[in-house]
Amino acid sequence: MNPPSPPRPAKAYALRFISGKYQGGEFPLPSQGEILIGRSSELDMVLVEDMVSRRHAKITVVGPDEIYIQDLDSTNGSFVNGEKIKRVRLNEGDRILVGTSIIKLVATEVASTDVGEARARLSDVAAERRTSQVRTMTGSIAEVPIPDLLQLFSASKKSGVLAVRTDRDVGRIYLDRGVVVYATINENIDVPPLKAFVRILTWEQGTFEMEPPEAREFDEPLTMGTEALLMEAMRQIDEVRRLGPDMPPMTAHLAVASPLVPPLRDLSPEELDVLQLAFNYGHVETILNKSLATDLETSEIVVKLLRAGYLRVE
């Protein structure tokens, strides 16, 4: 008879800083007990920044997979997945906002270390990043998706400019007390703010940085609430994705079929407009930029024109 297998060790967890002054740092959690978070040097996890209260929040580990966070009546509040909280149970992958730090609860193979050692490691991380502004929030959009960021900023009523950078584009989303009021891509005036906002939300790779507010007047500010904007953006993005590979990538070039066999009289005015844009510009991204319709509406027309033989991919 085989001997019984040894019991599996309980899962270990850590708080991983994915944005802010302590980005890159980790704070292992004990298998049981409390961690006090705040600006006071007497606490377990010391976050030295203005937006963190002296006693800000408390993490309580009751047992395996039972972890709670409680706000300690902090001035600026504690947030979990964009929601302001008093006390909630945490799950692996949850994102916590304390001050300008976004912290993710992650499973780890590293056993819990001494609190003093963990605190010293965080201090070392901050010292290495001291050249950046204390209140600046930076990170990777692969780690913190843009919709999650906007929900966090909406809940915490942050003002500023969320700058998102990819290899080829720079998007900027302007927030006033958590409300999205404008968006641009590469400062291109051909792309209206709603179209820019939706397109930025499709980006999955790149970096973000929360910059200070700008004193700027907008001719056509966005008037929908942030939640409504996100819902509309995700609807459009889902519908475009359903077009699948039939919709050419932004970098593709289109040409009007020659000879042009299908009759133009069968096209609607909106479809004729997109056909003309394809004839004039060819580049898919430029067609989307110049079109008066949304990216979703324009993409649907492009796919229809390709399937019907009006357009071809070069």
Side-chain angles (χ1 to χ4, degrees):
M1 181 175 179
N2 293 329
S5 301
R8 297 180 63 183
K11 205 172 196 179
Y13 289 95
L15 299 174
R16 177 178 297 163
F17 288 75
I18 56 178
S19 175
K21 178 180 177 180
Y22 300 90
Q23 184 181 345
E26 280 196 10
F27 196 101
L29 294 180
S31 57
Q32 199 169 36
E34 294 181 348
I35 296 293
L36 289 172
I37 304 171
R39 202 172 70 246
S40 172
S41 60
E42 301 171 355
L43 304 185
D44 305 308
M45 182 190 291
V46 181
L47 304 181
V48 184
E49 57 170 290
D50 293 343
M51 293 183 69
V52 175
S53 297
R54 288 184 61 79
R55 287 171 54 88
H56 197 105
K58 177 173 68 175
I59 301 282
T60 303
V61 183
V62 178
D65 301 320
E66 192 172 356
I67 303 171
Y68 296 87
I69 181 171
Q70 177 182 347
D71 183 73
L72 300 178
D73 295 323
S74 63
T75 302
N76 293 297
S78 303
F79 301 83
V80 175
N81 299 328
E83 298 290 332
K84 191 170 186 177
I85 61 96
K86 284 295 184 184
R87 185 177 186 269
V88 296
R89 185 170 179 170
L90 293 173
N91 297 301
E92 185 178 343
D94 282 350
R95 294 179 176 89
I96 304 161
L97 176 66
V98 175
T100 63
S101 293
I102 300 177
I103 310 166
K104 186 176 181 180
L105 180 66
V106 298
T108 178
E109 296 179 358
V110 179
S112 176
T113 59
D114 176 78
V115 168
E117 182 182 341
R119 185 168 54 215
R121 287 180 180 175
L122 271 189
S123 180
D124 290 343
V125 169
E128 291 175 4
R129 295 176 56 83
R130 197 164 286 161
T131 53
S132 63
Q133 294 182 5
V134 171
R135 294 173 70 116
T136 294
M137 298 179 71
T138 62
S140 163
I141 60 175
E143 185 73 62
V144 193
I146 299 171
D148 289 8
L149 277 172
L150 293 173
Q151 287 178 327
L152 286 170
F153 296 153
S154 174
S156 55
K157 294 182 168 52
K158 287 191 180 297
S159 295
V161 183
L162 178 62
V164 185
R165 294 175 174 83
T166 69
D167 290 341
R168 59 191 296 268
D169 295 304
V170 178
R172 299 173 72 80
I173 298 175
Y174 295 79
L175 296 111
D176 181 17
R177 288 166 290 184
V179 178
V180 176
V181 294
Y182 202 72
T184 65
I185 296 178
N186 302 326
E187 297 294 338
N188 188 340
I189 60 174
D190 285 338
V191 184
L194 179 57
K195 185 181 289 190
F197 178 80
V198 174
R199 202 178 295 176
I200 291 170
L201 262 62
T202 66
W203 299 350
E204 297 177 344
Q205 298 293 328
T207 61
F208 71 85
E209 180 176 1
M210 189 62 170
E211 300 175 346
E214 291 184 11
R216 178 171 174 178
E217 295 291 331
F218 302 110
D219 293 334
E220 299 178 8
L222 294 168
T223 56
M224 297 171 66
T226 298
E227 196 66 32
L229 270 175
L230 286 170
M231 290 178 63
E232 173 59 19
M234 299 315 296
R235 182 192 71 81
Q236 291 190 32
I237 291 168
D238 286 344
E239 291 296 326
V240 170
R241 284 174 177 160
R242 286 195 180 97
L243 297 174
D246 289 346
M247 179 60 194
M250 295 278 244
T251 53
H253 282 76
L254 305 179
V256 176
S258 180
L260 184 59
V261 176
L264 293 175
R265 64 175 176 271
D266 289 347
L267 299 179
S268 68
E270 293 78 15
E271 292 163 349
L272 285 170
D273 287 343
V274 173
L275 185 66
Q276 184 176 12
L277 289 172
F279 178 77
N280 289 340
Y281 301 104
H283 186 223
V284 169
E285 184 174 9
T286 306
I287 294 169
L288 292 170
N289 289 348
K290 296 285 187 180
S291 173
L292 298 179
T294 66
D295 280 355
L296 169 60
E297 294 164 339
T298 307
S299 296
E300 290 174 334
I301 292 173
V302 166
V303 169
K304 178 179 179 179
L305 295 176
L306 285 166
R307 289 171 175 168
Y310 292 93
L311 293 175
R312 59 181 173 82
V313 180
E314 289 189 316

